[in-house]
Amino acid sequence: MDRLDKILANLGYGTRKEIKSIIKNGEIKINGAVVKDNSVKINPYECSIEISGENVDYKKYIYILMNKPCGVVSATFDNFDETVIDILEPKYQSFKPFPVGRLDKDTRGLLIITNDGKLNHRLISPRSHVDKVYYAEIDRPLNESDVDKFGKGIVLKDGYKCMSAALHIMESTQDGSRAEVTVQEGKFHQVKKMFNSLGKNVVYLRRIRFGPIKLEDSLEEGEYRELSKEEIESIKKI
Ligand code: URA
């Protein structure tokens, strides 16, 4: 049970003050009856809420899939740069969401954004072994010995030994190469550091899969959508 004005404010229908006046105006119906008391407590899962004749679809959590653009930071707030939360519509910002893990400022691609703290913890834990797949462009050629090193666990320049990762070479020339990399860890600059330790540099990085969730081609950089029911169920099973 929660206060009606708080529930509607959390859903992004206005400030507590604005909602108070909407309620006073008799614009809200609970189970079909007008309610004029803003302090009334309801269980939003068990009753129908209408605002000016429109049904309110109540939910506590949101789950968003964003194709993160280059130049935007994976944070809820930043003093200098635009964040992934800044580019969401206010109706999503009102849920106070945050990104699940981080992509570097210059990394593009699949980012899950939610306000479900429990799920976030599970998804970012290395013990969950969630596959994260990246499309990477590298400034040098790649070869089978690199594939082998990724499989055995790359040792970073600081001495940290990475978990086994899969490197799939798509194209390799003297001028550079293209590959898909699957890692289960999510350390800071993980993929870039793995290539760096082989004396190569990542020049373009895009995440294309996170566990069962794939980034579709139709979602342009900077666009986002809510995850489907099936997708939410699939990540909750992780
Ligand atoms: N690895 C990186 O180096 N950067 C990212 O943004 C994600 C994985």
Side-chain angles (χ1 to χ4, degrees):
M1 299 280 272
D2 232 329
R3 278 176 65 119
L4 180 58
D5 54 358
K6 186 175 163 202
I7 290 168
L8 295 175
N10 286 346
L11 286 172
Y13 283 94
T15 61
R16 291 282 275 271
K17 202 171 157 200
E18 285 162 350
I19 286 164
K20 209 169 160 183
S21 89
I22 296 174
I23 295 173
K24 281 239 166 79
N25 287 341
E27 289 177 59
I28 312 275
K29 280 186 186 168
I30 304 294
N31 293 333
V34 172
V35 170
K36 289 197 166 182
D37 176 3
N38 63 302
S39 68
V40 72
K41 286 192 170 177
I42 61 161
N43 180 343
Y45 291 109
E46 286 179 1
C47 45
S48 73
I49 310 173
E50 270 175 60
I51 299 189
S52 312
E54 223 177 83
N55 273 325
V56 173
D57 181 18
Y58 182 76
K59 56 189 169 200
K60 190 169 178 185
Y61 297 119
I62 47 150
Y63 303 90
I64 289 172
L65 166 65
M66 178 182 281
N67 184 352
K68 178 194 167 300
C70 178
V72 169
V73 294
S74 305
T76 51
F77 173 79
D78 193 274
N79 273 324
F80 305 103
D81 292 307
E82 192 174 38
T83 72
V84 291
I85 305 302
D86 291 335
I87 57 180
L88 294 177
E89 290 163 78
K91 73 170 184 183
Y92 292 121
Q93 289 175 349
S94 64
F95 283 88
K96 307 228 171 349
F98 44 82
V100 174
R102 275 163 192 265
L103 290 178
D104 297 337
K105 186 174 163 185
D106 63 352
T107 301
R108 299 140 162 96
L110 193 162
L111 186 67
I112 293 173
I113 297 173
T114 184
N115 58 343
D116 184 341
K118 245 190 187 163
L119 182 70
N120 175 50
H121 272 292
R122 262 223 319 280
L123 294 181
I124 61 176
S125 163
R127 278 179 294 147
S128 296
H129 296 282
V130 182
D131 276 348
K132 279 148 294 219
V133 185
Y134 295 86
Y135 165 78
E137 292 178 4
I138 314 297
D139 64 348
R140 287 169 198 276
L142 291 169
N143 54 45
E144 283 310 308
S145 138
D146 297 326
V147 174
D148 199 46
K149 286 174 189 152
F150 267 71
K152 287 189 174 131
I154 299 254
V155 178
L156 301 183
K157 285 182 177 162
D158 63 8
Y160 174 79
K161 186 169 191 289
C162 299
M163 288 166 66
S164 170
L167 173 66
H168 168 67
I169 302 169
M170 299 160 78
E171 188 186 13
S172 179
T173 71
Q174 280 313 307
D175 296 330
S177 46
R178 301 189 300 119
E180 269 182 23
V181 184
T182 306
V183 296
Q184 292 187 335
E185 295 167 292
K187 301 244 179 291
F188 188 55
H189 296 330
Q190 174 108 21
V191 174
K192 291 173 186 165
K193 284 180 178 169
M194 287 164 102
F195 282 105
N196 281 159
S197 78
L198 302 178
K200 309 178 191 206
N201 296 304
V202 172
V203 292
Y204 178 98
L205 192 61
R206 175 159 45 98
R207 184 154 67 189
I208 54 175
R209 183 158 75 78
F210 185 100
I213 312 292
K214 284 188 185 150
L215 183 64
E216 65 265 31
D217 291 338
S218 55
L219 202 66
E220 302 276 335
E221 275 185 31
E223 289 185 345
Y224 56 88
R225 63 166 174 86
E226 287 190 53
L227 289 181
S228 67
K229 254 196 190 131
E230 293 73 32
E231 287 172 324
I232 296 169
E233 271 163 29
S234 72
I235 48 172
K236 284 189 172 172
K237 280 192 199 135
I238 288 173

